[in-house]
Structures are given as C-alpha cells and as structure tokens.
Amino acid sequence: QFSRRHLTSWSDCSDIVGSTDCCFDDPRADVYALDAMAWFLDRFADTCSLNGGGECSDKSPPPAEDPFDVIIMDALDPQDDVEFADVLYTNTVFWKSLYDALTPDGILVMQLGVSPNSRNPPDYIGKNRRRAELIAGLEDMNFKSMYAYEDGHCGFQDAWGYLLACKSEKCRSSWMKNEAEVELAIHKRTVRTHSGKPALKYFDGSMMQTWKYFPRAWETVFCKVEPAPEACRYTASATSSERISMSDEILIDNTGLESVLDNRKAMNNDHVLKWKKWLSSLKEQKKLSHEEMNIMMGVNANSNALVFNPVLNR
C-alpha cells in the first residue's frame, strides 16, 4: 500500500497495452509482501542442509513451487554495514536454494552495490569483501557462465555493479548477440505502449554492446589480488615487467584463433602458450564461438586491435 501511494512511478503500467494502471493489479503478476529469504528456503532449500547436514537418509521432497526462468534480486548492497548483510551474503544454503529454484537454463541477476574505481583495494578486503565471497560462492555452485557489468542509469552518484549468473551455457549466445540481433529480440518480446514510446527506457542493442566488455576499473581491482590471477598477465592493468609483450601489427583475420596466436611475437612465453592451449580446448569442445573468443580476448571490432582483458567474465 505504501508503494501504491508514494512510489507510483515504480508501479505505473498505465502506458502498457493490455495491462492495468497499477502493475500490482495486472492479472499476470503475483505479488507477495513476504520474507524472500524464508520463502525460498521453505520451498527450494535442501532439507539436509537446513538441518546442518545431520542425519538425512531420505531425499528432500520436490520443490513446492514451479522453478523460475529468471530471478532478479535487489537486496541489501554488499557494502552495507548491517548485521543482516552478513547473514544474506554468507548464507550458502539460501544461495543454493536460489540455484535450485531456477530451471535448467535459468538466470540469476543481482545488484552488487557501487562499482569499484581503480583506487580500490581487492574486493576480498575492506567493504567489498561480501561481493568477493558471493562471486566465489556462486562459482562453486556450478553456474556455467557469469557476467559482471555496470550501469549508470540508477540515479545514484556512482555507477552500479551487477552480476548475471547462468545455470547453463545457453545464455552465452544471447549475451554475445550483436546490436541488430538485440534490437530484433526486443521488438519481438516487449509489449507495446499506448504512447508509442519504447517500453524499455534505458536498454537497447547499443547498451547491450557496452556490457560485453569488462569495465577497466573492475579489471584493475580484480588484478590486485595476490597472487595475481593468471589472466592478469594479459591485461592493460599489468605492470610493464609483468605484461606479455604484444605486436602492434597483429590483426584479426577470418582464419580465427590459430592465426592470431601463432603470429604473436610473444608466443615463446609460457603464459601465452597456456592461454593458447586453454582457448583452443574451449573451441574444440564447441564451448567457445569465434565471437565469444574475440570478446574474451578484448578484440575491438572497429579497429581490430588486440587487447587482452581478464577472464572473470567466463
């Protein structure tokens, strides 16, 4: 009721064709004003985990709700200095219940608080430690693809960070779509408005292209970890003594991965050989398309410049 009265712009569906003036009243929406953590734990958590891993001879009962294709979570910022933030971001049983609440190709999206700047220490120390713990925990849960990105449309003083975690590898093709493909998908899937204005205010194919590339400040902070991740040997964040030398004459051509890597002047470097072996393995297993490979290697489609970025976005 408070939201209906005082946050009307957040629930205004009057311009949406086929909806109601207030989004809460749309028959397609089920709105629950409940403890979300308790709701997911009650319906999707492993009962053995809830019992502390004690005696559990029986298999947990099936979930009480149908699984979700997408879960969008806007909870406390990881940086919030309150007791519940620790409970929320360190409760592995809760996060596992979210994983189990997704369909096999389901997607989990969450906000990660204010985006880092290049002067920040590594996330695992200081106020961003919960963010680092959460990302590591989600990786352990076997999410197949994870993408960190930031956006500045929230109206806050700083850009805000987000994480998209995919339960299967299927979402990679959608994440890598070009601008025209994204625009077509938006046109096909979004509802029309009475005013004729786009239903999405801040998202389009052009915006999606910016999310494909890991923000430089995130890269810098990511590479401050000690010991530095192997991927950081190939980034602009590495010091001159650490950075793998690159040839300014290298261009990407249609022959793909092998031609790029075989022409590297630094190919005798052990780290480059490991990089080549890893990428070649992914490509052979058909887990990495040519476009994905270019994104992971930081290929600028306009200039064909080759600049390595960290592989946190895997």
Side-chain angles (χ1 to χ4, degrees), residues 67-234:
F68 298 92
D69 295 317
V70 180
I71 296 176
I72 302 174
M73 177 176 169
D74 183 14
L76 289 172
D77 302 340
Q79 300 89 357
D80 284 344
D81 189 19
V82 294
E83 184 178 353
F84 183 69
D86 276 326
V87 175
L88 175 66
Y89 285 101
T90 61
N91 190 329
T92 56
V93 178
F94 167 63
W95 290 99
K96 182 61 166 61
S97 74
L98 293 181
Y99 179 90
D100 292 336
L102 292 168
T103 58
D105 294 323
I107 296 172
L108 174 65
V109 186
M110 70 206 75
Q111 64 98 355
L112 295 178
V114 63
S115 294
N117 63 62
S118 58
R119 298 182 300 276
N120 288 152
D123 271 1
Y124 70 90
I125 60 177
K127 66 179 182 179
N128 291 315
R129 61 178 177 80
R130 297 190 193 96
R131 179 162 62 197
E133 292 169 356
L134 171 62
I135 293 175
L138 293 177
E139 288 180 338
D140 291 341
M141 286 177 196
N142 203 31
F143 278 100
K144 299 300 183 182
S145 296
M146 295 170 60
Y147 302 96
Y149 62 99
E150 64 181 27
D151 186 81
H153 291 104
C154 0
F156 302 137
Q157 183 176 359
D158 301 291
W160 223 247
Y162 301 87
L163 183 71
L164 182 145
C166 305
K167 200 170 179 179
S168 75
E169 298 173 357
K170 188 176 180 179
C171 77
R172 292 183 183 177
S173 59
S174 296
W175 188 263
M176 297 299 172
K177 288 183 183 298
N178 62 38
E179 183 175 348
E181 290 174 317
V182 174
E183 292 286 0
L184 180 60
I186 290 174
H187 179 76
K188 287 181 176 180
R189 300 199 60 182
T190 55
V191 295
R192 301 297 178 258
T193 61
H194 295 293
S195 65
K197 296 179 180 179
L200 303 177
K201 287 185 178 181
Y202 304 119
F203 180 77
D204 57 18
S206 177
M207 176 61 69
M208 183 66 224
Q209 303 315 298
T210 68
W211 291 353
K212 290 182 180 180
Y213 298 93
F214 204 49
R216 175 57 60 84
W218 288 72
E219 172 190 297
T220 302
V221 172
F222 172 72
C223 290
K224 289 181 180 180
V225 176
E226 295 182 1
E230 183 69 20
C232 296
R233 301 276 294 184
Y234 310 96

Side-chain angles (χ1 to χ4, degrees), residues 21 23 39 49 62 85 107 133 153 174 222 249 259 264 270 278:
D21 287 345
C23 303
W39 193 91
S49 299
I107 296 172
E133 292 169 356
H153 291 104
S174 296
F222 172 72
E249 301 173 356
S259 65
R264 293 280 304 278
D270 288 342
W278 177 67

